[in-house]
Amino acid sequence: MASTACFMIVSRNDIPIYEAEVGTAPKKEEAAHQHQFILHAALDVVQDLAWTTSAMFLKSIDRFNDLVVSVYVTAGHILLDFLIALHTRLMLLHDSRNDDGIKSFFQEILLNPIYLPGSRVTSSHFDTKIRALARSYRYPCGYAEVYGVFVFWLRPSA
Amino acid sequence: MADPAHFALRKMLLDEITPVVMVLPTPLVEQRCQKNGLSFVQMLTPFCVFNNIDVPVRTASDQPYRLQKFKLRMFYGSDIRQPNIEVTKERLEQVIADAGNKEDSDLYLDPSPIEAMSTSSEPEFVPTWFQYFNKELVRSVSFSDHEAFDHPVACLLVVSSNDEDPINKFVNFFNTNQLPPLLNDGAMDPKIPKYFILVHDNQDGSPKRATKILAEMRNTFGSNDCRLLCINSSQDRLADHEPNPWAPYGSNASPGQHLGCLLNNEDMDELKAFVRDLLSKDIIPNMEQRIRVLNQQVSATRKGFRNQIKNLWWRKGKEDTPEVQSVNMYTFNSIESQIRVLGDYAFMLRDYELALSNYRLLSTDYKLDKAWKRYAGVQEMMGLTYFMLNQSKKDAEYCMENAFSTYLRIGTSGKGNATRCGLWWVEMLKTSGQYKDAAGVYFRISGEEPLHSAVMLEQASYCYLLSKPSMLRKYGFHLILSGDLYKKCDQIKHAIRAYRNALSVFKGTTWSHIHDHVHFQIGKWYAFLGRFDVAMKHMLEILACSHQSKAMQELFMKDFFQILQKTGKTYNISRLQLPIVNISSLSIVSEDHRTYGSPAAVSVKESVWQSLEEDMVPSLSNAKTTWLDLQSKLLPTKLKQSNVCVAGEALKVEISFRNPLQLSIPIYNVTLMCEYSANETLPDANSSSSVIEGDEDGKIATGRVSNSDTSFFTSSEVDITLAGGETTVAQLSVIPRKEGILRVTGVRWKLSDSMVGFYTFDSDFITKRISKQKRKAKQNTNKLDFLVIKSLPRLEGVINNLPSTVYAGNLQPLSLELRNSSEIPVKNLKMKISHPRFLNIGNPEVLDVNFPSCLEKKQPCDKGADFEATKQSETIFRFPKDTIINKETPFFLPLWFRSVTPGNVSLYLTVYYENEDKSTAMRYRTLRTHHILEVLPSLDVSFFISPCSSRLQEYVVRMDVINRTSLRNFKLHQLSSVGNEWQISLIESINHIFPSGNLVPGQALSCFLKLKNVKTTETKTDVWLGDDSSEAVFDTQRAPLVNFHHYERLHQKTSHQENQRTVDFMLISRMEESENVPSDLPTPPQIFSHHACHCSVSTKRPIWWLLDSPQVNHCNFSNSFCETKLKMTIHNSSSFVASVRINTFDAPPGGSPSGNKLGWHDMATLPMDDTSGTSTRKPVSLESVPPFIWSGSSTTRVKLEPNSTAEVSLLVTTFAPGTYDLSNYTLNWSLLDSNDSREKEGVCYGRPFYLTILREE
C-alpha cells in the first residue's frame, strides 16, 4: 500500500534545512509544493501550541484532507549535545495510516548528530539513513546505526 | 437585552428572520408601478424597515414589552418557493465575476504590506462583496418547508382601480393556481390573514372610481381588511427624492430612469403610513394572537408529565414504520409544525425564551422521529436563539455544530442549509473573537462546489489573519487553496488577488517549492490576462529553480520564454539568476609594459617572471632615484598608481558562469560593460557622462554602453551554451581605442533577444592579478579602473613548430617568430630563456639550417666561435645590435630545442624590447611566453667504466641502452666522447653484438668499449654504431650539440666530482619513423642525443699494478722445483707520493687474507675492494691446486712519485707442473701528504693471475 510521507527539518527562523519525500507513493510534481505548503502552514499551529504545552512530540497537530502533520520540537538545552539548535522543528507529513512509530522515527533522527548549525543538511549519508529509517518504522521493533550510534526502538502497541 | 444591532450576526438575523408578507398584485397594478421604474414590492420595500415603530406586545405569559425596530419582508406569491438551484448558481457566479471586475484597477499594484493589514482592527481589507455573497448564499435556501420563519404571515391582494371587476379579481386570486406550492401542498397554513388593497393611479383621473370600488370591497371583504393606496400623484415626473429611498432596491430599472419619479411626498407619506399601519395594527397583533393560540394548544397537548409520557410512547410506536416519513408527514396542522410555527413566531417577535422552550421540545421529537433535516433546522434555530439571548455561548456553538453536521449528513439536500448554518455559526464565532475556529468552519463549509469553496477558503484565510496572534502561514496557505479553486472556475482575477495577498506572506521565503509555485502561477495568470509586464516580474523569480525536477524546469523555462516573447519588451535585469555569475572567478588581465604571449603565460606567477627578467629590464627603483633620467619623468605617478593598459590592446577578462538548471541553456552576446572617460579624473556615478549604474530593481537602460561608445572601446562578444549544471569560463576582452580612463563595470549577456542580464562588478570582491609593488601603491584606487595610454608597439612572438609531446633527447631546430603590429619599430631586443637545457639560441645569421646535415662533421671544422658566443650569453641573449623589427616584417630567430628529461616541463621565455618613439610613457616592454611540454621517456643510457686489468691507462666501458618507449624503434647512430682527451673504440664489432641495428621497444643493449686516455689533437672520439657506415658522423664539437652538452654538464655536475678525472659521452640515435604517419609528407629525421657527463674514470685507489710474466713456463724439474720470474708494474695515478708495500702469502694458497681471520674482523676494509676483486677471492679448493711458494722477500716496499711507475720483481717457486693462481698477495698503499683521510691508505688484493707450468720433455 502506497503511503505518503514528507519529512522536513525546519530551523528556528523557519528555514527548511532538510527535506525528504520518504513515502512510497509514486511522486507527483505538485506534491512537492503541496507538502511544503501544508508543513509551512502547520508551523502556525506549532507556534500556537508551543505556548501551551511542554511536550516535545506533538502528534497530529494539523491535518489537511487525509494528510497529518506530526512535529517534534527540540528544546535547546537538552539537545544541544546533539548539535540541533534551539527550536529546530522536525516535521513529518504523513497519511493517517501509519500513526505508530512516528515518534520513534523522530527520536531516532534526533539521536543523530547531524546538524551543522544554520546550514542546509546536504549529507547524502544522512539522506539515505533517513530514508532507510522511514522504511523501517513499519516494523514493531528494530535497530539502526546512524553516525555510529546504534538506535533501538519499540513501536508502542496499539 | 443588549443592543442587538451591535453584532453583525444579530443585525443579520434581525434582517433575515422577519415576517414575510405575500403580495399578489394584478398585472395592471404592476404596470402602474412600473411608471416609476419600480415593481409594487420594490415600491413598498423601503418602508418595510422600521426603526422606531414602538408597538406594544405581550408575551404568551402576558409580559408586556415593546418592539422598536422591526422589518417586514415582502415577496410576490410566485417568489415564495425554493429558489431554483441553477438560477441561484448563476447569480452567485455573477456576483463573484462582478466583484472581480470591480477590483480590476488595483490588481496590478503591489500588495500592501502584511504588517499594515494585521494591525488594522477591522477588516477593511476584506473584500466587501463577501457580505453580499454570503447573503445571497443564505437566501438561496429560503422558503424551505422544514422551517416556518419564511412562511408568509399575511397576504396582500392588490388590485388596480382600473381593473375591470376588481371584486372578482380579488376572489380569483385564491381560486387560481398562483398560490405558492408551500401553501398548496399543505406545509403551510393556507388560512393566513388577507388584506385587500386597491391601488389607484392619480394620473388615471380622480379617485372617485377608486373610492367607489373601495366601498364595494368593504362590503364584500369586511371593512378592516380593505385599503386604498393612491400613487403617482406627481404630474410632471419631477418628484425628487434626496436621498432616493429606492436606490438600493431598484435593480431592474434602466439606468437613466429616475426611480419613483411620479411619487411625490404625499404619496410617500401614504405608502409609509400604509405599511406602518399594516404592521402595527394587523400583522403584529395577528402574530401575537397566533402565538397565544398555538401556545395554548401546545401546552394542552405537550406540556405536563402526562403528555410527555404519552408523546414518548406514541413516538416509540412510530419507530417501527420509519418509511412513512414522507414529505407530508408534518403538515401544517400536525403538532410538530405548529410548535415550529410557534417557535419561529416567538423568535420573530423576539420572545426568545418562548422560542427556545418550543425549539427544545421540538428537537427531541424530531430526533426521535429521525427527521434529520427538521432536527437540524431546529438545532440551528436553538443555536441562534441562544445567541440572541446572549446566554451560554457553549450551548449555542454546540447547537450550531450539531445542526451543521446533521445537515451535512443528510446529503445533497442539506448542503445549502449547511452552508447557511455554517455562515451563521462563523458569524457567531467571529462575534466572540474566535477567528481561528471560524476559519475552521469556513474550511468545512467549502464543499465540492469549487467556486463557493474558493470564496469560503478566502474568507477562512482572512479569519486566520484576524485571529490573535495572527496565523500568517495559514492565511497564506488558504489563500493559495482559494486561488487554485478560483482558477479552476476561470475566475482569474480572483485567483490573482488571492495569490497576490498570499505573496505578502511568502515573499522572500526560503521554502523553495512554495516560492516557485506562487510566482509561477501568478506569472502565468497575469500573462493570461495579457499583463505580460507584471507577469515577467514574477516569472523572473523562478529562473533559478535548481531544486525542481527537470520536467518542472522545462515547464518553467517554456512558459518564461513564451511570456517574454509576448511581452515584446526588452528587459535588462541586474544579477539575473540564469546563469549565475561566479564573481570570485573574475580575473582581469591588463598588459602594461608586461605583455603575454599566451593565456598560459598570464597564469604564471609574477615572481617567476620577475626573477627571469631581473637582469634584463631597467630597475624601477633605479629609475626613480636618478632624477635626470628621462624615464622617471615620463612615468608619471598616476601611471604607477593605477592599472595601465594600452590603447588598441585588449584587456582580457575571464569570468565563469554556472548554470543552475539541469537543462542546457544558451546565452548570447556575453560582453563586458565598460565606461570611458576622456579626462583624467574618474567619472562620478551620478555625472551625466557616465553610464547609469544598475538600480536595485534591476531595470535600467544600458544602451549607451554598447552603442555610442564604440569609438572609445570595443568589447568582444561570445556565445556560450551551458550544459545542465555546468560551469563555463567565458573569456572576454575589451579593446580601448583612445587615451583616457576605462572602467570595467560589469558583464552583460543575453538569455534571449529580449532578456538581457547583467552583473555589475563590485570592486571590493575582485582579486586581481597585479604585481606586488603596485599593490602597495594603490590601496585606494579602483581595481577596475584602467588608465589608457597611447598606443605602443607590441611584439607578438611565437615559437614555430614547437611540439607539445616529445621524446626525451629529441633534438629539433625551431624558430622564434617575432612580429610587430604597430607602425613604430622596436629595437634593442634581449631575450632570456628559463631552461637553456631545453632551448638554445642558434646563429641569428643562419636562418635556413639544413637539418640534420648541419650537424655533420665537416673539414675543416671551425670550432670555438659558436661555443664562445653561447658561453657569454649564458644568462641573457642580446639580439644583434642592428635588429629592428618593423611592421609587416617578422623577425626570425633560430632556436635549437632538445628535450632533456621525461615529465612535464614549463618553458618560460621573455623578450625585452624598446620602442623607438621616445615620447611615450613606456620605453620598454617585455613579451612573456610560456610553453608547456610533455616529454616522454626514450632511451636510457648508462655507462660503467672499469679500469682495464691488462693495460694501464685504459678502461673498459660498458654501455647499457634500454628503449623505454612503448612503440618506437631506435637506431643507434654514434657514440662520442666529448672533448679530445679520450679515444674510444669498440672492443667487438657492433655487427656481431647488434646485427639488426634497431632497438625495438623494451629492448636493452649492452656493449663494451675501450676507452683510452690520449692527449693528442687528432683523437678518434667517435664510434660509429649504425649499420650503414656510409652516413656522416655528427660533430659533437659544434653548436648546437656542444651547447646542449655544456648545459648538461652544468646540470649533471656535482660538487665532489670536480677534481676527478671524468669523461663525457654523447650517444646520438635516430628514431625510426612510425608506420602510422603518412609517408607522403617528408618529416625531418628524429635525431636524439643523450648525454652522460662526468663519468668518473678514476677508481677509489690511486694505485695501479700489473703482474706480468710468461703465462706458460716449461720446466724440466731437474731441481725438483721450478722458479718463475714475475714482474709487477706499479703506477701511482694520484698527485701525491705513494708508498706501496707488497705482501705475499704462501699458505694456504687461494685463501684470501680476510678469510683467515676468525671471529670479529674489521668490516671497514671490505668496501675498499672494487668489484673486480670480489670474484677472485673465492676460496680455491685445496685438492685441485698444488702448492707453490713465493720466493724472495715476502714484503717489498716501494715509494712512488706522483704519476710515476715502478717495477718490482717477484719470484714464484712451483714444485709440480700445473696451473697456479697467483692471487695471494696484497698491496698495502698509503699516500703521503694527502689530506683526504678517506683516500689516505688502503689494501688491494691480488687479482687472479694464472701461471701454467709444463714439464719439459
Side-chain angles (χ1 to χ4, degrees):
Chain A
M1 197 157 65
S3 69
T4 308
C6 175
F7 174 67
M8 281 184 102
I9 304 178
V10 183
S11 79
R12 62 187 304 188
N13 353 319
D14 291 357
I15 296 167
I17 54 174
Y18 174 78
E19 187 180 0
E21 293 282 338
V22 288
T24 55
K27 272 212 180 114
K28 282 185 282 180
E29 283 302 336
E30 68 268 22
H33 73 251
Q34 196 198 19
H35 292 169
Q36 278 205 348
F37 271 123
I38 297 169
L39 287 174
H40 186 259
L43 283 176
D44 266 336
V45 184
V46 178
Q47 215 169 39
D48 232 26
L49 280 173
W51 295 104
T52 57
T53 176
S54 62
M56 297 204 286
F57 178 57
L58 308 169
K59 187 178 159 183
S60 306
I61 51 147
D62 198 12
R63 57 173 64 228
F64 180 76
N65 296 341
D66 56 344
L67 295 169
V68 186
V69 181
S70 296
V71 180
Y72 203 106
V73 186
T74 67
H77 59 284
I78 294 172
L79 287 157
L80 216 59
D81 290 343
F82 295 106
L83 285 173
I84 291 185
L86 185 68
H87 284 307
T88 298
R89 282 148 297 184
L90 292 82
M91 309 183 83
L92 183 72
L93 179 71
H94 51 92
D95 40 22
S96 38
R97 279 195 298 276
N98 41 25
D99 271 346
D100 303 332
I102 287 168
K103 186 173 182 178
S104 55
F105 174 67
F106 278 133
Q107 278 167 348
E108 282 161 52
I109 291 162
L110 275 172
L111 286 174
N112 299 295
I114 41 124
Y115 182 47
L116 322 110
S119 65
R120 233 168 210 278
V121 177
T122 48
S123 156
S124 62
H125 187 69
F126 179 71
D127 195 60
T128 40
K129 283 295 176 190
I130 292 290
R131 286 168 200 281
L133 278 175
R135 275 198 300 280
S136 67
Y137 67 68
R138 289 194 220 101
Y139 303 107
C141 69
Y143 70 91
E145 184 254 317
V146 185
Y147 281 83
V149 180
F150 268 93
V151 186
F152 290 85
W153 75 86
L154 251 175
R155 195 165 71 178
S157 52
Chain B
M1 222 180 280
D3 179 15
H6 180 69
F7 297 120
L9 178 60
R10 278 178 193 278
K11 198 163 174 297
M12 191 193 285
L13 292 179
L14 292 181
D15 275 356
E16 293 297 314
I17 305 182
T18 53
V20 171
V21 175
M22 182 165 75
V23 180
L24 297 169
T26 59
L28 222 52
V29 175
E30 277 302 294
Q31 194 203 331
R32 292 291 179 264
C33 293
Q34 278 301 339
K35 285 181 182 174
N36 291 303
L38 298 163
S39 68
F40 182 73
V41 167
Q42 278 170 348
M43 194 169 73
L44 290 183
T45 307
F47 311 105
C48 290
V49 183
F50 308 96
N51 281 327
N52 195 9
I53 187 168
D54 198 26
V55 184
V57 201
R58 278 168 183 274
T59 62
S61 49
D62 277 342
Q63 289 269 330
Y65 65 98
R66 298 185 92 86
L67 286 174
Q68 299 297 336
K69 289 186 177 177
F70 210 76
K71 193 186 165 185
L72 279 181
R73 290 184 289 162
M74 293 216 176
F75 290 98
Y76 288 116
S78 53
D79 289 341
I80 300 186
R81 63 180 73 227
Q82 294 240 16
N84 189 325
I85 296 169
E86 289 306 314
V87 175
T88 319
K89 212 170 135 183
E90 257 170 48
R91 199 171 65 234
L92 287 172
E93 266 173 36
Q94 193 55 44
V95 169
I96 293 171
D98 287 350
N101 291 333
K102 222 180 279 173
E103 290 184 355
D104 206 15
S105 54
D106 55 283
L107 205 52
Y108 308 109
L109 305 172
D110 278 328
S112 51
I114 190 76
E115 290 78 18
M117 281 185 175
S118 51
T119 46
S120 60
S121 57
E122 213 16 49
E124 61 250 23
F125 52 88
V126 178
T128 44
W129 60 271
F130 280 164
Q131 295 297 335
Y132 186 59
F133 178 83
N134 288 350
K135 204 176 261 180
E136 287 292 331
L137 260 186
V138 167
R139 281 184 186 160
S140 70
V141 288
S142 51
F143 304 113
S144 165
D145 58 350
H146 77 288
E147 47 202 9
F149 53 78
D150 284 335
H151 296 181
V153 295
C155 179
L156 294 185
L157 307 171
V158 192
V159 171
S160 166
S161 57
N162 283 21
D163 273 316
E164 286 176 26
D165 196 3
I167 307 296
N168 258 350
K169 293 263 183 213
F170 282 125
V171 177
N172 280 346
F173 277 132
F174 264 75
N175 295 342
T176 51
N177 291 337
Q178 286 177 348
L179 291 184
L182 280 174
L183 283 165
N184 286 342
D185 62 15
M188 217 184 284
D189 189 356
K191 282 185 277 184
I192 48 174
K194 299 182 189 69
Y195 301 99
F196 305 93
I197 317 288
L198 186 68
V199 171
H200 177 71
D201 186 348
N202 275 340
Q203 287 184 324
D204 292 342
S206 67
K208 272 182 194 161
R209 174 179 150 84
T211 35
K212 204 178 115 204
I213 297 169
L214 183 65
E216 208 176 318
M217 281 162 61
R218 286 204 166 123
N219 286 336
T220 321
F221 306 113
S223 59
N224 284 341
D225 301 334
C226 297
R227 309 278 158 86
L228 174 65
L229 203 55
C230 293
I231 56 168
N232 297 356
S233 311
S234 176
Q235 300 295 321
D236 49 3
R237 293 181 162 262
L238 280 173
D240 205 6
H241 310 285
E242 205 58 53
N244 195 326
W246 292 280
Y249 306 99
S251 57
N252 53 354
S254 58
Q257 192 170 9
H258 188 70
L259 294 175
C261 53
L262 289 172
L263 300 170
N264 62 12
N265 287 343
E266 285 156 34
D267 287 340
M268 279 176 67
D269 288 344
E270 195 180 340
L271 285 171
K272 211 179 272 175
F274 163 71
V275 182
R276 193 186 177 90
D277 281 0
L278 187 71
L279 179 71
S280 58
K281 294 205 177 118
D282 296 311
I283 293 177
I284 291 179
N286 268 333
M287 284 173 76
E288 203 182 333
Q289 186 61 34
R290 190 89 198 279
I291 287 172
R292 278 162 200 283
V293 172
L294 286 170
N295 195 29
Q296 274 171 12
Q297 272 184 24
V298 172
S299 298
T301 51
R302 298 297 310 281
K303 296 276 165 71
F305 185 69
R306 205 165 63 101
N307 284 331
Q308 295 272 7
I309 297 295
K310 202 170 85 186
N311 179 44
L312 261 179
W313 177 79
W314 180 67
R315 287 192 196 273
K316 280 269 182 208
K318 275 212 302 191
E319 210 172 318
D320 304 331
T321 54
E323 304 85 41
V324 196
Q325 217 176 2
S326 65
V327 186
N328 291 325
M329 184 181 151
Y330 303 103
T331 49
F332 66 92
N333 44 15
S334 71
I335 184 68
E336 288 86 358
S337 290
Q338 285 184 349
I339 299 173
R340 172 80 206 211
V341 169
L342 174 59
D344 285 348
Y345 275 33
F347 188 92
M348 286 189 281
L349 290 185
R350 297 173 204 171
D351 188 356
Y352 297 118
E353 302 284 355
L354 181 65
L356 187 59
S357 70
N358 281 295
Y359 288 141
R360 275 208 193 113
L361 192 65
L362 195 54
S363 131
T364 45
D365 287 356
Y366 282 144
K367 196 173 185 181
L368 284 171
D369 287 354
K370 296 194 170 63
W372 294 121
K373 191 171 179 181
R374 283 162 188 273
Y375 170 71
V378 173
Q379 284 285 328
E380 191 180 359
M381 287 313 290
M382 273 171 75
L384 295 178
T385 318
Y386 276 125
F387 174 77
M388 295 307 267
L389 278 172
N390 217 359
Q391 282 177 354
S392 163
K393 212 167 72 181
K394 211 173 225 168
D395 284 343
E397 280 168 29
Y398 173 77
C399 287
M400 292 314 280
E401 168 143 37
N402 200 0
F404 183 74
S405 49
T406 311
Y407 273 135
L408 280 184
R409 209 165 52 218
I410 57 175
T412 44
S413 64
K415 197 138 278 167
N417 289 96
T419 306
R420 184 189 66 184
C421 173
L423 286 173
W424 279 340
W425 185 14
V426 160
E427 291 302 327
M428 201 182 278
L429 290 168
K430 277 185 184 170
T431 305
S432 53
Q434 293 161 282
Y435 282 102
K436 203 173 116 190
D437 300 326
V441 176
Y442 270 131
F443 190 81
R444 287 172 69 181
I445 296 173
S446 66
E448 280 119 47
E449 181 67 44
L451 191 55
H452 295 184
S453 304
V455 183
M456 290 307 151
L457 285 171
E458 194 176 353
Q459 296 191 62
S461 71
Y462 288 114
C463 284
Y464 279 121
L465 184 61
L466 289 168
S467 67
K468 295 271 183 273
S470 59
M471 304 173 90
L472 290 183
R473 303 182 192 93
K474 286 267 180 197
Y475 166 67
F477 180 45
H478 284 82
L479 279 175
I480 295 296
L481 289 174
S482 142
D484 285 342
L485 288 172
Y486 277 131
K487 171 69 190 29
K488 221 175 187 175
C489 310
D490 294 325
Q491 298 286 347
I492 302 278
K493 284 176 181 168
H494 285 290
I496 290 178
R497 188 195 61 238
Y499 263 67
R500 261 167 30 96
N501 287 339
L503 203 59
S504 55
V505 179
F506 295 124
K507 200 158 208 164
T509 182
T510 47
W511 293 60
S512 48
H513 286 283
I514 292 179
H515 174 264
D516 286 355
H517 176 79
V518 174
H519 283 291
F520 180 61
Q521 298 291 344
I522 299 185
K524 236 168 51 173
W525 295 339
Y526 270 126
F528 184 81
L529 291 181
R531 296 298 304 260
F532 298 111
D533 47 343
V534 197
M536 269 318 290
K537 222 155 125 188
H538 291 284
M539 292 309 276
L540 280 169
E541 295 278 336
I542 57 162
L543 282 182
C545 49
S546 52
H547 48 273
Q548 296 280 8
S549 66
K550 194 174 177 188
M552 285 303 275
Q553 290 179 358
E554 271 166 4
L555 179 72
F556 282 4
M557 286 300 117
K558 201 185 90 197
D559 283 22
F560 172 77
F561 283 116
Q562 261 176 13
I563 292 169
L564 182 65
Q565 201 179 16
K566 283 182 191 152
T567 317
K569 279 208 292 187
T570 303
Y571 283 87
N572 285 297
I573 306 297
S574 174
R575 306 212 167 181
L576 185 67
Q577 291 297 295
L578 200 66
I580 294 166
V581 174
N582 184 4
I583 191 65
S584 61
S585 73
L586 175 72
S587 76
I588 302 181
V589 179
S590 67
E591 295 183 333
D592 37 23
H593 62 273
R594 304 157 291 185
T595 65
Y596 299 95
S598 61
V602 177
S603 55
V604 176
K605 272 189 199 153
E606 179 69 22
S607 58
V608 173
W609 294 119
Q610 277 185 353
S611 63
L612 197 64
E613 291 167 359
E614 214 166 28
D615 311 327
M616 207 158 55
V617 300
S619 158
L620 217 72
S621 53
N622 283 347
K624 265 184 219 162
T625 49
T626 55
W627 61 276
L628 279 172
D629 196 345
L630 181 70
Q631 187 154 8
S632 67
K633 279 183 198 160
L634 282 172
L635 265 173
T637 46
K638 64 172 171 138
L639 208 66
K640 289 172 203 145
Q641 281 176 358
S642 65
N643 302 315
V644 175
C645 66
V646 180
E649 287 177 24
L651 201 65
K652 291 186 183 109
V653 175
E654 277 187 11
I655 190 157
S656 69
F657 291 95
R658 187 168 64 82
N659 180 1
L661 305 184
Q662 295 169 45
L663 321 166
S664 119
I665 44 167
I667 54 175
Y668 311 99
N669 297 11
V670 184
T671 183
L672 287 173
M673 301 192 296
C674 298
E675 285 170 18
Y676 172 81
S677 68
N679 48 349
E680 300 284 295
T681 53
L682 292 172
D684 291 333
N686 52 0
S687 78
S688 59
S689 67
S690 72
V691 178
I692 308 100
E693 299 279 322
D695 65 346
E696 303 225 331
D697 279 351
K699 285 194 183 174
I700 67 155
T702 50
R704 274 204 62 184
V705 181
S706 52
N707 299 330
S708 59
D709 288 357
T710 42
S711 57
F712 301 122
F713 58 85
T714 357
S715 301
S716 70
E717 290 189 343
V718 289
D719 296 348
I720 315 175
T721 299
L722 294 157
E726 195 186 60
T727 301
T728 305
V729 176
Q731 290 173 338
L732 307 166
S733 66
V734 56
I735 302 172
R737 294 288 177 211
K738 279 190 177 171
E739 287 171 76
I741 285 175
L742 184 78
R743 173 184 283 171
V744 179
T745 52
V747 66
R748 217 154 58 91
W749 66 93
K750 273 186 181 177
L751 193 56
S752 77
D753 281 338
S754 44
M755 177 55 66
V756 179
F758 66 91
Y759 191 102
T760 312
F761 298 149
D762 191 347
S763 60
D764 294 344
F765 293 114
I766 291 150
T767 51
K768 218 178 61 65
R769 169 174 301 282
I770 27 174
S771 67
K772 254 185 188 165
Q773 304 107 296
K774 289 215 161 184
R775 191 172 292 155
K776 273 181 229 154
K778 40 187 248 39
Q779 288 292 346
N780 50 356
T781 57
N782 193 340
K783 291 167 187 165
L784 294 169
D785 288 339
F786 292 91
L787 183 71
V788 184
I789 59 168
K790 205 170 111 184
S791 175
L792 281 178
R794 182 176 183 274
L795 277 189
E796 277 166 45
V798 73
I799 297 180
N800 294 323
N801 309 329
L802 185 71
S804 58
T805 307
V806 73
Y807 286 99
N810 198 348
L811 184 73
Q812 286 184 17
L814 303 174
S815 68
L816 173 70
E817 184 181 344
L818 293 172
R819 282 175 185 279
N820 179 7
S821 52
S822 138
E823 299 289 346
I824 308 158
V826 300
K827 56 167 191 177
N828 203 2
L829 286 93
K830 288 184 257 184
M831 183 169 81
K832 193 169 172 186
I833 299 168
S834 65
H835 292 74
R837 269 178 92 196
F838 283 85
L839 272 180
N840 232 304
I841 296 147
N843 190 347
E845 279 128 42
V846 188
L847 274 179
D848 291 320
V849 287
N850 191 7
F851 182 78
S853 60
C854 65
L855 299 175
E856 285 163 10
K857 203 168 241 178
K858 288 178 195 98
Q859 297 296 334
C861 53
D862 51 337
K863 308 164 189 168
D866 289 339
F867 186 71
E868 285 302 307
T870 16
K871 276 219 160 166
Q872 276 185 353
S873 63
E874 195 169 279
T875 49
I876 297 168
F877 172 76
R878 288 177 195 279
F879 285 64
K881 275 271 184 276
D882 52 347
T883 308
I884 287 174
I885 304 177
N886 287 308
K887 196 181 173 164
E888 306 304 329
T889 50
F891 178 82
F892 288 96
L893 180 71
L895 291 176
W896 287 102
F897 168 77
R898 183 180 162 266
S899 52
V900 183
T901 45
N904 285 327
V905 185
S906 285
L907 293 179
Y908 307 109
L909 199 139
T910 170
V911 179
Y912 167 91
Y913 55 96
E914 291 173 8
N915 58 327
E916 295 247 285
D917 186 3
K918 292 213 167 25
S919 66
T920 53
M922 267 183 224
R923 284 286 307 282
Y924 72 90
R925 302 186 90 176
T926 54
L927 167 67
R928 298 162 166 184
T929 56
H930 176 214
H931 310 276
I932 300 169
L933 304 172
E934 191 190 3
V935 181
L936 304 174
S938 57
L939 295 180
D940 272 6
V941 185
S942 58
F943 294 91
F944 293 103
I945 304 173
S946 50
C948 184
S949 57
S950 56
R951 300 270 198 288
L952 288 175
Q953 301 296 312
E954 279 191 25
Y955 300 86
V956 176
V957 178
R958 191 180 86 219
M959 177 178 72
D960 294 317
V961 184
I962 299 173
N963 184 353
R964 291 279 181 205
T965 64
S966 51
L967 288 169
R968 313 297 294 267
N969 293 344
F970 277 91
K971 203 172 247 182
L972 298 185
H973 204 277
Q974 75 179 69
L975 177 70
S976 304
S977 72
V978 184
N980 42 18
E981 206 176 334
W982 299 90
Q983 176 179 322
I984 54 171
S985 56
L986 277 169
I987 289 174
E988 200 176 359
S989 164
I990 191 76
N991 290 336
H992 287 181
I993 52 169
F994 190 47
S996 73
N998 255 357
L999 208 57
V1000 298
Q1003 191 185 2
L1005 168 73
S1006 296
C1007 71
F1008 290 91
L1009 299 128
K1010 196 159 75 183
L1011 189 66
K1012 194 174 182 181
N1013 191 351
V1014 285
K1015 292 279 168 29
T1016 55
T1017 49
E1018 282 303 312
T1019 319
K1020 192 174 178 350
T1021 56
D1022 306 314
V1023 171
W1024 182 252
L1025 297 173
D1027 50 351
D1028 185 5
S1029 55
S1030 67
E1031 284 182 59
V1033 172
F1034 290 158
D1035 191 350
T1036 59
Q1037 306 284 12
R1038 276 161 54 95
L1041 286 175
V1042 69
N1043 295 350
F1044 281 121
H1045 186 76
H1046 168 71
Y1047 289 111
E1048 281 300 314
R1049 272 185 70 91
L1050 285 178
H1051 179 75
Q1052 294 182 12
K1053 184 159 72 185
T1054 49
S1055 60
H1056 58 85
Q1057 279 175 338
E1058 271 176 54
N1059 49 6
Q1060 289 183 1
R1061 303 179 68 190
T1062 56
V1063 60
D1064 297 347
F1065 295 105
M1066 191 191 294
L1067 176 74
I1068 296 176
S1069 54
R1070 174 182 294 213
M1071 186 183 268
E1072 289 278 284
E1073 277 161 35
S1074 69
E1075 284 86 23
N1076 308 342
V1077 177
S1079 57
D1080 51 326
L1081 51 131
T1083 49
Q1086 302 273 327
I1087 303 294
F1088 284 77
S1089 72
H1090 289 89
H1091 302 250
C1093 302
H1094 307 292
C1095 299
S1096 170
V1097 294
S1098 61
T1099 52
K1100 300 269 169 23
R1101 36 154 222 249
I1103 302 301
W1104 294 69
W1105 79 97
L1106 204 62
L1107 205 56
D1108 194 22
S1109 87
Q1111 296 278 311
V1112 178
N1113 196 3
H1114 294 270
C1115 181
N1116 55 8
F1117 286 96
S1118 54
N1119 301 337
S1120 79
F1121 61 88
C1122 174
E1123 283 189 329
T1124 311
K1125 271 196 181 150
L1126 299 159
K1127 188 176 74 184
M1128 180 179 273
T1129 315
I1130 303 171
H1131 175 77
N1132 174 17
S1133 63
S1134 78
S1135 50
F1136 302 102
V1137 177
S1139 157
V1140 179
R1141 197 178 77 230
I1142 304 156
N1143 293 333
T1144 55
F1145 310 100
D1146 287 336
S1152 67
S1154 61
N1156 289 333
K1157 290 181 184 170
L1158 292 170
W1160 299 103
H1161 56 87
D1162 187 13
M1163 294 296 286
T1165 56
L1166 289 175
M1168 301 301 280
D1169 304 324
D1170 55 16
T1171 40
S1172 59
T1174 31
S1175 62
T1176 62
R1177 288 203 315 279
K1178 276 177 190 163
V1180 184
S1181 73
L1182 282 170
E1183 292 80 14
S1184 64
V1185 182
F1188 67 93
I1189 51 165
W1190 294 94
S1191 28
S1193 65
S1194 64
T1195 303
T1196 315
R1197 188 181 288 271
V1198 285
K1199 200 168 200 171
L1200 288 164
E1201 293 300 310
N1203 278 326
S1204 65
T1205 309
E1207 286 189 5
V1208 176
S1209 293
L1210 294 170
L1211 199 64
V1212 153
T1213 307
T1214 51
F1215 304 99
T1219 303
Y1220 300 94
D1221 179 6
L1222 308 180
S1223 62
N1224 45 351
Y1225 62 92
T1226 59
L1227 269 74
N1228 289 32
W1229 55 270
S1230 65
L1231 294 181
L1232 310 175
D1233 313 325
S1234 167
N1235 299 324
D1236 191 353
S1237 63
R1238 203 162 57 90
E1239 297 195 351
K1240 195 159 179 170
E1241 53 184 10
V1243 182
C1244 299
Y1245 300 102
R1247 280 195 290 256
F1249 182 84
Y1250 295 99
L1251 177 69
T1252 308
I1253 305 295
L1254 296 173
R1255 186 179 295 273
E1256 198 170 52
E1257 295 303 323

